[in-house]
Amino acid sequence: MKRTYLTINSLLILVFVGIITLASCKKVEHGIDESIVSISGTTPGSALLGSTLKVDLVANNISNLTLSIVPPEGGESLYSETIDNAENKYILSHEIAVPVDEAWLGEHLIKVSYSAAGGNVEKTKAITFVEGDPVFFLVGGSTGAGWEPSAAIPMKMYQTGEDDVSKDKFEIFVYLVAADGGFKFLPTQDGWEGGLGDAGDGKLTAEEGDNNLTVDEDGFYRLRIDKEALTYEILKTKWGIIGDATAGGWDADTDMTFVGGKGSYTWTITTNLTAGEMKFRANDDWAINMGGTEGNLTQGGSNIAIADAGNYTINLHMDPSGYKAEIKKN
């Protein structure tokens, strides 16, 4: 009888262990059954007008949801899109092209709406939209970008003085060739819509089939446009150094040499300097002069100090992303 008792007891233990094992397997297989969506912490809390906002979501058992941009006090949505998730993906990302629209400025909410447990659930995250500096782009066979809009070169916004509050003026220093079809200006890198071509006499036009702008000879140019006035300027430049640290003092430039061709922005010189100060100038004139620090040159910036006399190699980089210099003693 004792042996029979032990066998029954053992069987009961085995059945109990089996039930626990099956329950554990079921939990692992099916996971969490709750329907839920969360806005990921990787979603930014601010974005620029004209930029692309990427909203990251974490979802579970959600086949579709609505993503909106709404005022914090409620009201009509600035943006609303239904997102299908038929594959029940856990990680979702959605990109919003933020328009250059004053209605978007300031504080808003990213809102996610979905159905769960027989009702409607909403989740929100605060976001602030701010106005960034606008951009314009240069494209064309005469440039390093070629005719592909996605490769168009960003221009820099410029102002003519402290009282100039316009954000419609753009410039770029760039090497252009007289051949290869010329160039145009674009408001985005997404396509040709809104592109500006030559209307003659320093004027620009957005008319379809307009002429490309051209230059008469290869060289390093400063291009300027005013997209509000629809005007442009083309000025060929050559660069040099000037200052009491240079051979010509403050009276005469020492010429630099351009390096490369299309897609290059560098001028260079190897020369003797004395202890003193120097700047970079274009066309032997003060109308275009660069100073400041080696890592950040600006129009009309302060003189650059040269501590020790000696032979130096100086590089001037007029890249669209920012103007910089390298001044190294040999």
Side-chain angles (χ1 to χ4, degrees), residues 148-165:
E148 178 53 51
S150 62
I153 309 167
M155 303 177 72
K156 294 172 67 71
M157 188 179 68
Y158 78 92
Q159 295 173 322
T160 55
E162 294 182 0
D163 296 331
D164 183 3
V165 296

Side-chain angles (χ1 to χ4, degrees), residues 127-195:
I127 187 167
T128 302
F129 294 102
V130 296
E131 185 176 8
D133 288 338
V135 293
F136 232 76
F137 300 89
L138 176 69
V139 70
S142 293
T143 77
W147 287 109
E148 178 53 51
S150 62
I153 309 167
M155 303 177 72
K156 294 172 67 71
M157 188 179 68
Y158 78 92
Q159 295 173 322
T160 55
E162 294 182 0
D163 296 331
D164 183 3
V165 296
S166 168
K167 291 192 175 184
D168 296 318
K169 301 184 178 87
F170 302 91
E171 73 176 9
I172 186 172
F173 289 90
V174 63
Y175 190 87
L176 301 173
V177 299
D180 299 337
F183 55 94
K184 285 187 175 181
F185 302 102
L186 298 177
T188 74
Q189 293 173 305
D190 297 329
W192 293 101
E193 185 175 354

Side-chain angles (χ1 to χ4, degrees), residues 41 69 82 169 171 189 206 230 244 246 278 286 299 306 322-323:
I69 303 294
T82 298
K169 301 184 178 87
E171 73 176 9
Q189 293 173 305
L230 289 178
D244 56 17
T246 72
M278 59 159 283
W286 288 108
Q299 167 66 24
I306 304 298
Y323 309 142

Side-chain angles (χ1 to χ4, degrees), residues 172-247:
I172 186 172
F173 289 90
V174 63
Y175 190 87
L176 301 173
V177 299
D180 299 337
F183 55 94
K184 285 187 175 181
F185 302 102
L186 298 177
T188 74
Q189 293 173 305
D190 297 329
W192 293 101
E193 185 175 354
L196 300 178
D198 189 12
D201 297 325
K203 298 290 186 180
L204 295 168
T205 177
E207 293 294 328
E208 187 174 352
D210 52 8
N211 295 323
N212 300 334
L213 293 95
T214 59
V215 292
D216 293 331
E217 56 184 349
D218 299 357
F220 195 71
Y221 288 83
R222 186 190 72 179
L223 303 180
R224 282 186 163 184
I225 66 169
D226 185 327
K227 72 179 185 68
E228 181 67 22
L230 289 178
T231 58
Y232 70 87
E233 301 174 12
I234 300 177
L235 177 68
K236 189 177 181 182
T237 66
K238 62 182 184 68
W239 287 81
I241 58 174
I242 193 170
D244 56 17
T246 72

Side-chain angles (χ1 to χ4, degrees), residues 19-329:
I19 292 171
I20 293 175
T21 303
L22 288 172
S24 300
C25 291
K26 183 177 181 181
K27 184 176 182 180
V28 171
E29 180 181 350
H30 293 287
I32 301 172
D33 293 329
E34 183 181 4
S35 297
I36 190 170
V37 177
S38 297
I39 303 173
S40 174
T42 58
T43 300
S46 65
L48 295 174
L49 298 187
S51 68
T52 298
L53 169 64
K54 183 182 179 185
V55 179
D56 294 324
L57 305 170
V58 179
N60 188 73
N61 287 335
I62 295 293
S63 59
N64 65 76
L65 58 94
T66 300
L67 177 65
S68 307
I69 303 294
V70 299
E73 67 277 5
E76 186 176 352
S77 300
L78 294 174
Y79 175 91
S80 183
E81 184 76 21
T82 298
I83 300 173
D84 293 322
N85 187 28
E87 299 179 1
N88 196 25
K89 294 181 179 179
Y90 183 66
I91 303 297
L92 299 173
S93 291
H94 184 76
E95 292 187 346
I96 300 174
V98 182
V100 182
D101 185 341
E102 291 185 357
W104 286 63
L105 282 174
E107 298 178 356
H108 290 79
L109 294 175
I110 301 172
K111 184 174 76 172
V112 174
S113 305
Y114 60 96
S115 297
N120 188 61
V121 181
E122 294 183 352
K123 300 285 182 65
T124 62
K125 176 184 174 71
I127 187 167
T128 302
F129 294 102
V130 296
E131 185 176 8
D133 288 338
V135 293
F136 232 76
F137 300 89
L138 176 69
V139 70
S142 293
T143 77
W147 287 109
E148 178 53 51
S150 62
I153 309 167
M155 303 177 72
K156 294 172 67 71
M157 188 179 68
Y158 78 92
Q159 295 173 322
T160 55
E162 294 182 0
D163 296 331
D164 183 3
V165 296
S166 168
K167 291 192 175 184
D168 296 318
K169 301 184 178 87
F170 302 91
E171 73 176 9
I172 186 172
F173 289 90
V174 63
Y175 190 87
L176 301 173
V177 299
D180 299 337
F183 55 94
K184 285 187 175 181
F185 302 102
L186 298 177
T188 74
Q189 293 173 305
D190 297 329
W192 293 101
E193 185 175 354
L196 300 178
D198 189 12
D201 297 325
K203 298 290 186 180
L204 295 168
T205 177
E207 293 294 328
E208 187 174 352
D210 52 8
N211 295 323
N212 300 334
L213 293 95
T214 59
V215 292
D216 293 331
E217 56 184 349
D218 299 357
F220 195 71
Y221 288 83
R222 186 190 72 179
L223 303 180
R224 282 186 163 184
I225 66 169
D226 185 327
K227 72 179 185 68
E228 181 67 22
L230 289 178
T231 58
Y232 70 87
E233 301 174 12
I234 300 177
L235 177 68
K236 189 177 181 182
T237 66
K238 62 182 184 68
W239 287 81
I241 58 174
I242 193 170
D244 56 17
T246 72
W250 288 108
D251 298 319
D253 293 59
T254 303
D255 292 339
M256 305 180 76
T257 301
F258 184 72
V259 179
K262 288 194 291 187
S264 177
Y265 301 91
T266 299
W267 292 77
T268 189
I269 187 174
T270 298
T271 187
N272 293 325
L273 298 178
T274 60
E277 295 180 328
M278 59 159 283
K279 297 190 81 171
F280 298 94
R281 287 204 318 180
N283 299 342
D284 302 316
D285 189 84
W286 288 108
I288 305 176
N289 72 92
M290 296 286 170
T293 65
E294 288 186 47
N296 183 26
L297 297 175
T298 59
Q299 167 66 24
S302 59
N303 299 340
I304 301 168
I306 304 298
D308 302 313
N311 185 259
Y312 286 80
T313 295
I314 304 169
N315 293 319
L316 171 64
H317 304 291
M318 296 298 292
D319 298 61
S321 59
Y323 309 142
K324 300 178 181 179
E326 296 170 330
I327 305 174
K328 294 183 179 180
K329 192 175 182 181

